[in-house]
Amino acid sequence: MYMRIKRIIDIILSLTGMIILSPIFVILIVGLKIDSKGPVLFKQKRVGINKTHFNILKFRTMRIDTPKDTPTHLLSNSEQYITRMGSLLRKTSLDELPQIWNIFIGQMSIIGPRPSLWNQFDLIAERDKYNANDVPPGLTGWAQINGRDELPIDVKAKLDGEYAEKISFRMDVKCFFGTILNVVMGDGVVEGGTGSKTEVASSKETISK
């Protein structure tokens, strides 16, 4: 029952977001065109609900010669590929704004496990252990407010599984406001690296608390 309500909420909030944030979209598009060569939007194949594939949308934050389909943390000296505008967008998570369209058309939800790259087979396999691939991927989620880029794959998958198991309106609200706090504080962003938090779940793994 909640999943139907969740979808309605996604449609209403994503449509509202596209209207309200349209001036910011225009400013960012102009900034991106001035800062570097290449398209404004970046499309990338990601894993959706039940391991189906879809193209996620982001504002482009890296140079057009960046190796394709390679996670940032797997690039050697990844900062050399990130544009000046891209660095700002990543730190503030504004590069994720175009995913409002993915949410509106039903490929994603506002809250859910972050969609993995199609070739991140280790993360996909770990999420299978916890049924985390069986819920819609999200713009942000439980793992994001508990570590984001700092989480090793096994911890991230476990947190995604906890969300899938206890998905509810209360959980979504907690993730939503937790994300706002993290963005303001700039927590959990690690360019060119991952897995620096190994004990994240120890104090927060019980969602109902």
Side-chain angles (χ1 to χ4, degrees):
M1 179 64 181
Y2 174 65
M3 296 306 294
R4 293 182 180 178
I5 297 174
K6 181 178 174 71
R7 177 61 189 142
I8 294 173
I9 293 174
D10 284 340
I11 294 173
I12 294 173
L13 292 184
S14 59
L15 179 59
T16 302
M18 285 189 287
I19 296 172
I20 294 177
L21 297 175
S22 56
I24 295 180
F25 273 78
V26 173
I27 293 172
L28 294 180
I29 288 171
V30 172
L32 285 165
K33 295 301 292 184
I34 293 174
D35 182 54
S36 63
K37 295 180 179 179
V40 170
L41 292 178
F42 171 69
K43 296 180 181 181
Q44 191 176 57
K45 188 162 72 171
R46 296 290 184 109
V47 178
I49 185 172
N50 298 321
K51 294 185 283 189
T52 56
H53 292 161
F54 71 99
N55 287 320
I56 199 172
L57 298 177
K58 290 188 176 187
F59 281 125
R60 182 178 57 83
T61 61
M62 308 186 84
R63 298 189 338 228
I64 57 177
D65 61 341
T66 304
K68 188 179 180 181
D69 286 339
T70 303
T72 305
H73 68 273
L74 294 182
L75 293 172
S76 58
N77 193 13
S78 62
E79 291 186 359
Q80 68 176 313
Y81 296 106
I82 301 174
T83 64
R84 289 173 298 177
M85 188 71 178
S87 179
L88 172 64
L89 292 176
R90 282 169 172 257
K91 289 178 180 178
T92 58
S93 295
L94 289 173
D95 60 315
E96 312 285 358
L97 284 182
Q99 289 162 46
I100 293 176
W101 177 252
N102 292 118
I103 295 169
F104 182 70
I105 63 177
Q107 294 173 329
M108 293 176 58
S109 179
I110 294 175
I111 308 297
R114 281 298 295 162
S116 62
L117 282 166
W118 67 273
N119 58 358
Q120 285 183 293
F121 304 117
D122 48 356
L123 176 57
I124 297 169
E126 279 294 315
R127 283 177 168 171
D128 268 339
K129 297 178 182 179
Y130 305 104
N131 299 316
N133 292 313
D134 300 337
V135 297
L139 183 64
T140 185
W142 185 240
Q144 277 58 53
I145 67 171
N146 284 291
R148 200 174 174 177
D149 296 334
E150 298 178 343
L151 296 173
I153 286 175
D154 57 337
V155 176
K156 182 183 295 185
K158 183 177 181 180
L159 288 169
D160 288 334
E162 288 178 359
Y163 174 81
E165 179 183 359
K166 301 184 179 181
I167 188 170
S168 64
F169 179 74
R170 180 172 176 269
M171 171 58 69
D172 283 355
V173 170
K174 183 182 293 187
C175 291
F176 183 83
F177 286 105
T179 298
I180 294 176
L181 179 61
N182 280 1
V183 169
V184 171
M185 299 297 292
D187 290 343
V189 180
V190 182
E191 297 296 1
T194 188
S196 62
K197 282 190 177 181
T198 57
E199 302 297 334
V200 175
S202 61
S203 62
K204 295 183 178 181
E205 67 179 355
T206 304
I207 294 174
S208 60
K209 290 184 178 180

